[in-house]
Amino acid sequence: MPLVTTTEMFKKAYKGGYAIGAFNINNMETIQGIVEAGAETRSPLILQVSKGARQYANTTYLKKLMEAAVIESDLPIAFHLDHGDSFELCKDCVDNGFTSVMIDASHMSFEENIAITKKVVEYAHDHGVVVEAELGKLAGIEEHVVSDSHQYTDPDQVQEFVSKTGVDSLAIAIGTSHGAYKFKGKAELRFDILEKIEKLLPDFPIVLHGASSVPQKFVDLIDKYGGNVKGAQGVPEELLRKAASMAVCKINIDSDIRLAITACIRQHFAEHPEHFDPRQYLSPARTAIKEMVKHKIINVLGSDNKI
Ligand code: G3H
Ligand code: 13P
Ligand code: ZN
């Protein structure tokens, strides 16, 4: 099966009350861990690449790894640009085999966001590629943009934004944030905003960024083996499950992958200080990613056996 767009995935997810996991990839072991999890649970997948990942790993390598993932797994996999910050970057991805791109102009004015999103949509759609955009601003760090507080998505803007841009899915701000330190106080999401948007945009796929749950076991392992991620707190799984049962069709996860790898490698070196063959510690790290992703697919996203 070739790489697919998210169109069919989202249609089925919306109807079925589940979400597709969009996992950030930077290297081979991460792709393999995620794809093995998808294969074992029979789940569609979105593998996404940030600008930083492109710089780190080189797009050609990432693209070839994606092709290998499709050949090896025979799963429906979408290849997505995460947080594209310009028309040129989105165009480059459309021209180079991505099946989905995000144009993130959420830091611009409403009018500028519409204008650039529309431009990306026109180019992408002409080439069979789908587009995600963002309205509202997440707290935390997003590549170049740092924001201390949430700027929740204004439901009154969503219909105009979607109809003027022709965008295929919309990322919204309802209280999630990027990174491993999400909530200073109580972990809460504004489901009232999501409900309003759901009513205003019937059958339209919504995206949640900043949706790592920061499993306590990784925090504990990192602490135990000499690291320090004190105060790390993610989105509770039951809130993500609720969002997935509503209009949220795509849930973005990156920090949990980072934590899984780091916890596993720290533990490995503490237990085997004599090891220096990378395969000795990258192999259990890959398994840790697989187990974490399987847990998400079955218990949080609900995308297992949906192929
Ligand atoms: O939302 C951003 C993703 O977690 C990607 O992070 O830009 O460090 O690759 P990155
Ligand atoms: P997390 O930092 O919560 O994993 O969010 C990742 C994300 O939104 C990627 O776009
Ligand atoms: Zn994001």
Side-chain angles (χ1 to χ4, degrees), residues 93-115:
C93 290
V94 169
D95 293 344
N96 282 291
F98 286 60
T99 59
S100 173
V101 294
M102 176 190 192
I103 175 70
D104 180 1
S106 55
H107 53 288
M108 294 181 183
S109 72
F110 184 60
E111 290 71 27
E112 287 168 329
N113 193 350
I114 288 178

Side-chain angles (χ1 to χ4, degrees), residues 16 19 42 56 65 73 86 99 124 143 156 169 192 199 203 220 240 246 252 294-296:
R42 305 308 295 154
Y56 171 76
L65 286 167
S73 71
S86 66
T99 59
E143 296 243 2
D156 289 340
S169 62
D192 57 320
K199 285 202 182 97
D203 295 329
D220 292 345
L240 295 168
M246 299 170 68
N252 282 17
K294 273 173 73 175
H295 171 82
K296 297 268 179 205

Side-chain angles (χ1 to χ4, degrees), residues 14 103 110-111 113-122 125 131-136 153-172 196-207 247:
Y14 198 102
I103 175 70
F110 184 60
E111 290 71 27
N113 193 350
I114 288 178
I116 190 169
T117 301
K118 188 168 185 286
K119 190 173 169 190
V120 172
V121 167
E122 279 165 5
H125 284 186
V131 180
E132 171 187 329
E134 181 165 329
L135 257 190
T153 305
D154 178 356
D156 289 340
Q157 292 186 326
V158 297
Q159 282 181 322
E160 184 182 348
F161 187 83
V162 169
S163 68
K164 284 193 170 162
T165 58
V167 76
D168 302 282
S169 62
L170 186 66
I172 60 168
K196 277 190 193 153
I197 293 173
E198 197 172 50
K199 285 202 182 97
L200 290 162
L201 297 175
D203 295 329
F204 191 82
I206 299 299
V207 178

Side-chain angles (χ1 to χ4, degrees), residues 64-270:
K64 292 294 168 192
L65 286 167
M66 292 296 303
E67 287 168 16
V70 164
I71 292 167
E72 288 298 317
S73 71
D74 202 27
L75 292 173
I77 299 178
F79 186 21
H80 176 74
L81 168 68
D82 192 26
H83 293 287
D85 62 356
S86 66
F87 172 78
E88 289 69 30
L89 175 56
C90 292
K91 180 181 181 300
D92 190 64
C93 290
V94 169
D95 293 344
N96 282 291
F98 286 60
T99 59
S100 173
V101 294
M102 176 190 192
I103 175 70
D104 180 1
S106 55
H107 53 288
M108 294 181 183
S109 72
F110 184 60
E111 290 71 27
E112 287 168 329
N113 193 350
I114 288 178
I116 190 169
T117 301
K118 188 168 185 286
K119 190 173 169 190
V120 172
V121 167
E122 279 165 5
Y123 188 79
H125 284 186
D126 274 351
H127 294 78
V129 172
V130 292
V131 180
E132 171 187 329
E134 181 165 329
L135 257 190
K137 250 187 256 168
L138 272 62
I141 305 166
E142 225 172 283
E143 296 243 2
H144 46 290
V145 186
V146 184
S147 165
D148 277 348
S149 58
H150 303 291
Q151 267 177 40
Y152 296 113
T153 305
D154 178 356
D156 289 340
Q157 292 186 326
V158 297
Q159 282 181 322
E160 184 182 348
F161 187 83
V162 169
S163 68
K164 284 193 170 162
T165 58
V167 76
D168 302 282
S169 62
L170 186 66
I172 60 168
I174 56 167
T176 60
S177 59
H178 290 101
Y181 301 86
K182 296 191 190 298
F183 299 100
K184 289 189 186 96
K186 197 167 174 262
E188 270 176 337
L189 296 187
R190 292 285 305 272
F191 284 106
D192 57 320
I193 297 178
L194 177 57
E195 260 164 32
K196 277 190 193 153
I197 293 173
E198 197 172 50
K199 285 202 182 97
L200 290 162
L201 297 175
D203 295 329
F204 191 82
I206 299 299
V207 178
L208 268 196
H209 282 247
S212 277
S213 55
V214 184
Q216 192 58 40
K217 69 174 177 195
F218 298 144
V219 172
D220 292 345
L221 278 171
I222 291 171
D223 278 354
K224 180 172 174 190
Y225 293 110
N228 180 0
V229 282
K230 285 191 177 39
Q233 194 192 3
V235 186
E237 289 185 348
E238 59 277 13
L239 299 188
L240 295 168
R241 184 71 215 105
K242 181 172 172 186
S245 73
M246 299 170 68
V248 171
C249 294
K250 173 173 179 273
I251 289 191
N252 282 17
I253 297 163
D254 187 3
S255 297
D256 286 350
I257 298 170
R258 300 177 182 197
L259 290 164
I261 296 170
T262 303
C264 187
I265 292 179
R266 278 195 174 277
Q267 178 176 19
H268 189 89
F269 279 129

